[in-house]
């Protein structure tokens, strides 16, 4: 499922929310196409390993065992990388929460659009990691920089914020661009409207947020500014 931002006319008070929308047909075709390609690739690799180099049964078994060991090793490596990333990201979330216990904490991603907007506000070189923590609390929208610190890299005071909007933002994943759920903060600077997009990650800090988790971010933001 993918999600988008629409006006919800239910009992939520006509608030602008993230809601689920059906996955488009092209996206379904793309997902199934990638799955079929992946399965086909694995089948070809295993077939080559089973055939072997000289057709000898003993050698075929050797290639088969080598292939299995290689696949298991690759799986373990991917799992370790995933686990290490999860532990690291959650540690950053906990560190920010410890400093701001009264704030809502989530992970976001640095994007060119966000950096350009921050430079327009007056931050010449915002030193933010590719993935960094954001806190929404009484002190404003605080962006936490490199390393563990008790001081955020920068803060956007609520008095300077016009409103927040649930939207989508294009981010780079490898060599492709995808639209993800994002908290879009709007601010007026020198008479023009400035858009600061914050892609939203889930509570584990490693996966893109679904509708439910994205709305939690929106609810936290609504305590301090209007949602439009």
């Amino acid at each position: 499922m993918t999600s988008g931002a629409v006006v919800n006319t239910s009992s939520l008070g006509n608030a602008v929310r993230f809601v689920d929308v059906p996955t488009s047909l092209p996206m379904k075709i793309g997902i199934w196409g990638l799955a079929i390609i992946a399965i086909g690739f694995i089948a070809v690799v295993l077939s080559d390993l089973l055939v072997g180099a000289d057709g000898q049964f003993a050698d075929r078994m050797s290639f088969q065992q080598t292939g299995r060991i290689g696949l298991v090793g690759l799986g373990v490596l991917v799992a370790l990388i995933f686990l290490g990333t999860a532990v690291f990201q959650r540690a950053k979330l906990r560190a920010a929460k410890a400093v701001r216990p009264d704030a809502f904490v989530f992970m976001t991603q640095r994007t060119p659009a966000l950096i350009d907007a921050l430079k327009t506000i007056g931050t010449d070189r915002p030193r933010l990691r590719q993935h960094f923590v954001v806190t929404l609390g009484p002190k404003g929208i605080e962006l936490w920089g490199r390393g563990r610190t008790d001081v955020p890299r920068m803060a956007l005071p609520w008095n300077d914020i016009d409103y927040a909007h649930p939207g989508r933002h294009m981010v780079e994943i490898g060599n492709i661009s995808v639209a993800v759920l994002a908290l879009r903060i709007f601010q007026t600077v020198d008479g023009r409207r400035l858009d600061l997009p914050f892609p939203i990650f889930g509570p584990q800090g490693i996966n893109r947020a679904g509708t439910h988790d994205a709305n939690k971010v929106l609810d936290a933001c609504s305590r301090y500014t209007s949602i439009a």
Side-chain angles (χ1 to χ4, degrees), residues 46 64-80:
L46 290 178
Q64 183 181 17
Q65 292 171 354
T66 302
R68 287 176 177 175
I69 292 173
L71 290 175
V72 171
L74 178 62
V76 171
L77 178 61
V78 171
L80 289 176

Side-chain angles (χ1 to χ4, degrees), residues 87-108:
V87 171
F88 180 68
Q89 301 292 58
R90 285 182 62 82
K92 290 194 293 185
L93 291 169
R94 287 196 302 269
K97 187 65 176 179
V99 179
R100 296 287 188 266
D102 55 347
F104 186 90
V105 181
F106 72 97
M107 187 74 67
T108 190

Side-chain angles (χ1 to χ4, degrees), residues 111-148:
T111 64
L114 177 59
I115 295 300
D116 289 344
L118 293 177
K119 288 180 179 179
T120 301
I121 292 175
T123 304
D124 293 332
R125 296 181 60 188
R127 297 180 179 178
L128 300 169
R129 289 184 178 273
Q130 181 65 22
H131 300 100
F132 63 94
V133 175
V134 176
T135 54
L136 307 173
K139 295 183 180 296
I141 303 173
E142 296 181 295
L143 316 183
W144 300 78
R146 299 178 181 276
R148 297 184 183 182

Side-chain angles (χ1 to χ4, degrees), residues 157-181:
W158 292 114
N159 289 338
D160 294 341
I161 304 301
D162 295 336
Y163 64 91
H165 178 74
R168 299 175 73 83
H169 185 66
M170 300 299 296
V171 299
E172 298 291 331
I173 300 180
N175 295 323
I176 62 174
S177 297
V178 297
V180 301
L181 301 185

Side-chain angles (χ1 to χ4, degrees), residues 5-16:
V6 301
V7 177
N8 186 349
T9 58
S10 68
S11 60
L12 294 176
N14 297 334
V16 180

